[in-house]
Amino acid sequence: MMKIRSLFAVLILLSAGNGVAHATTYALPENSNDSVITQFHDDVPLTRAEQDETLLDVARRFLLGQAEIVRLNPDVDRWHIKKDEIVRLPNKRILPDTPHEGITLNIAEYRMYYYPPVQKGVAPQVMSYAHGVGRQDWKTPMGKTSIVQKVKDPAWHPPESIRREHAANGDPLPAVVPPGPHNPLGAYKMHLAVPGGYLIHGTDIDKIYGIGMQITHGCVRMYPEDIEALYNSVPVGTPVYIVKQPIKVGWLDNTLYIEAHPDLEGEETTLAQKVDTALKLIQKAAMTASAPAQNPPEFDRAALNKALTALDGNPVALYQRLPQPVSLSATGHAPIIR
């Protein structure tokens, strides 16, 4: 009964807001060795459809990626949700294994993590945004780079390769697409220090439901309000880490979690390969200073197999250790929940 009441309370909370949600801001864990962030107290936050709509409309309202919300709701008709139908939303996320500075793009989960500079008296935070990534034949490059230029209301000069592709499909492009609602770059773009002209940019109204999918020509595409917030927050020179981590492992409050996502288009790993990757990450997590190595730790094998089979991006608990000493955040106090 308590569980039902708890879920109902979250359901009402998430149905009360009007319009589009703001970007999700998470407080970083109190323990500096923990890497799982949580938005809601309930493990399974839910929302009601406000009207007859699609799952993509719900994703748009909560600034979620299309693939993300579809994987969390495998039994829901993507194209037809009836008014008051229940939709599951994401909650916990495991931070990618990168420095907690600047921007991290985890291509495997179509999601970005921005770590604002720590301010005196404010607990460290991370902001998370959905984004689209490059298709199989236009892969987004991996590695560390930085933002080298920012442009508001950009015109788009389609590269010759893209113009040839569109012409071959009977959809010729002009040499220049001026700023406006149908400009594929949206209202903001940020250049990365990567050969080939890779960008982080907004989107046009025609492709807004493609956020959170593998659809671009290599660039990183974001919702209009998300790219605006990011553009106004990050200066030129901000480091950007582009990684591909479909399987992530991390601690929260002495519980070890695993988060698994499907392979990108054009890539395929077997279950055995996924298990091997997961075991290495579990062993690495068990060797942290606050969790002395066990060879290997006694974790829930059934939960591991379920996570690696479902591949829904929902963190699953694998193992609980004895309480460890807490390492406070850089500010010396617990995070503030926003």
Side-chain angles (χ1 to χ4, degrees), residues 71-84:
R71 290 198 300 265
L72 283 174
N73 295 275
D75 298 324
V76 174
D77 186 339
R78 181 188 315 204
W79 305 112
H80 185 205
I81 300 176
K82 297 180 180 179
K83 182 180 179 181
D84 293 330

Side-chain angles (χ1 to χ4, degrees), residues 42-332:
D42 293 79
D43 284 336
V44 188
L46 309 170
T47 187
R48 287 187 190 277
E50 297 181 347
Q51 57 190 356
D52 287 354
E53 55 186 349
T54 70
L55 201 54
L56 280 60
D57 294 316
V58 179
R60 176 75 184 97
R61 193 157 63 249
F62 287 93
L63 297 177
L64 301 171
Q66 181 178 157
E68 176 179 31
I69 199 166
V70 168
R71 290 198 300 265
L72 283 174
N73 295 275
D75 298 324
V76 174
D77 186 339
R78 181 188 315 204
W79 305 112
H80 185 205
I81 300 176
K82 297 180 180 179
K83 182 180 179 181
D84 293 330
E85 189 171 350
I86 303 301
V87 175
R88 182 182 180 183
L89 301 174
N91 187 18
K92 290 185 175 67
R93 301 186 189 279
I94 300 178
L95 296 171
D97 185 14
T98 60
H100 291 180
E101 63 174 13
I103 296 169
T104 288
L105 303 171
N106 187 12
I107 302 304
E109 60 173 320
Y110 311 126
R111 185 152 286 274
M112 171 189 302
Y113 297 86
Y114 167 54
Y115 299 89
V118 177
Q119 302 179 27
K120 185 177 181 179
V122 179
Q125 298 176 331
V126 59
M127 305 179 75
S128 185
Y129 305 97
H131 61 72
V133 302
R135 303 195 315 259
Q136 177 183 358
D137 50 341
W138 295 87
K139 292 183 179 180
T140 303
M142 302 290 106
K144 181 183 179 182
T145 182
S146 64
I147 294 173
V148 293
Q149 184 185 24
K150 297 166 56 178
V151 180
K152 186 178 184 300
D153 295 322
W156 184 43
H157 300 262
E160 186 59 33
S161 57
I162 295 179
R163 294 186 67 192
R164 286 197 302 268
E165 178 188 275
H166 277 256
N169 293 329
D171 179 29
L173 291 173
V176 180
V177 179
H182 296 284
N183 186 313
L185 300 181
Y188 303 89
K189 71 173 181 178
M190 298 189 290
H191 289 260
L192 300 178
V194 175
Y198 288 96
L199 310 170
I200 298 175
H201 61 77
T203 188
D204 57 313
I205 59 175
D206 306 309
K207 297 182 177 67
I208 201 163
Y209 290 103
I211 301 299
M213 297 181 68
Q214 194 173 355
I215 58 170
T216 76
H217 289 91
C219 293
V220 175
R221 177 183 294 159
M222 301 175 65
Y223 281 122
E225 50 272 70
D226 283 350
I227 184 62
E228 180 178 10
L230 189 68
Y231 181 95
N232 291 324
S233 298
V234 301
V236 169
T238 297
V240 178
Y241 299 88
I242 307 177
V243 300
K244 183 171 58 179
Q245 298 176 8
I247 300 174
K248 299 181 291 180
V249 168
W251 293 99
L252 179 64
D253 298 333
N254 298 307
T255 298
L256 185 66
Y257 290 86
I258 187 168
E259 176 183 325
H261 299 264
D263 294 321
L264 294 175
E265 176 188 347
E267 301 177 6
E268 184 176 351
T269 56
T270 65
L271 178 58
Q273 290 172 317
K274 291 181 175 66
V275 170
D276 183 63
T277 297
L279 290 177
K280 291 176 181 176
L281 292 173
I282 291 169
Q283 187 65 29
K284 180 180 177 180
M287 294 177 67
T288 61
S290 61
Q294 302 173 38
N295 194 24
E298 291 296 328
F299 61 88
D300 188 336
R301 297 270 176 169
L304 173 65
N305 289 331
K306 181 178 179 181
L308 297 180
T309 302
L311 300 174
D312 61 5
N314 181 51
V316 175
L318 291 179
Y319 167 75
Q320 190 162 15
R321 68 188 176 194
L322 295 175
Q324 303 291 315
V326 174
S327 298
L328 294 180
S329 63
T331 58

